[in-house]
Amino acid sequence: MDRKSFIKKTSAGLIIGIPLLSLTACSGSDDGGGNPNPNPDPDPDPSANCLENGTNTSISANHGHNLTVSKEDVDAGEEKTYTLSQASTDQHIHEVTITQDQFNTLKNNNQIIATSSSDGGHTHNVTVSCA
């Protein structure tokens, strides 16, 4: 194979392969299944306090999404739907709703797990815990 043929075939492979990889890399459900509100930390940090210190969030099978739940939102305790930031690998978004009951759980310094909406063929479990 000469240099010109090699470059053409390599370029064609990249042009087809990269978009295909992007489509398949983020497929399926990332929710982990099971109970949507388990408390996976049986020994939470006793100094954690959502109303004083705010929250920490983690997102299952994350690939660039972010979410901030403020201590003011916890204090207000009203159901709220958040938009997860766009993923860095592609431009899709998810929404996640935290209910009044879940905010009450956070006020008692216990973590909650909520499942995001589906976009890009998958969902994420979002864990919110007290900082």
Side-chain angles (χ1 to χ4, degrees):
M1 177 180 331
D2 64 1
R3 182 172 184 247
K4 186 176 181 180
S5 296
F6 175 77
I7 291 173
K8 280 184 178 181
K9 289 182 180 187
T10 302
S11 297
L14 289 173
I15 290 171
I16 293 170
I18 290 174
L20 183 60
L21 180 61
S22 294
L23 289 173
T24 60
C26 193
S27 63
S29 176
D30 294 332
D31 66 9
N35 185 350
N37 275 325
N39 187 353
D41 186 357
D43 189 24
D45 180 356
S47 66
N49 188 314
C50 285
L51 293 174
E52 290 182 19
N53 306 323
T55 65
N56 296 315
T57 59
S58 65
I59 302 171
S60 69
N62 198 4
H63 50 102
H65 295 295
N66 290 305
L67 173 67
T68 300
V69 178
S70 71
K71 60 185 178 183
E72 292 80 13
D73 288 348
V74 174
D75 189 36
E78 296 177 12
E79 183 172 302
K80 184 171 181 176
T81 299
Y82 296 87
T83 300
L84 302 184
S85 67
Q86 291 183 339
S88 59
T89 56
D90 52 19
Q91 297 301 308
H92 72 273
I93 58 172
H94 299 275
E95 291 184 334
V96 63
T97 299
I98 299 179
T99 66
Q100 183 177 14
D101 287 342
Q102 289 172 317
F103 276 121
N104 287 334
T105 299
L106 291 169
K107 284 181 184 181
N108 289 318
N109 300 319
N110 294 307
Q111 72 182 15
I112 59 105
I113 297 176
T115 302
S116 74
S117 61
S118 179
D119 193 1
H122 66 278
T123 61
H124 296 279
N125 274 345
V126 178
T127 302
V128 182
S129 58
C130 300

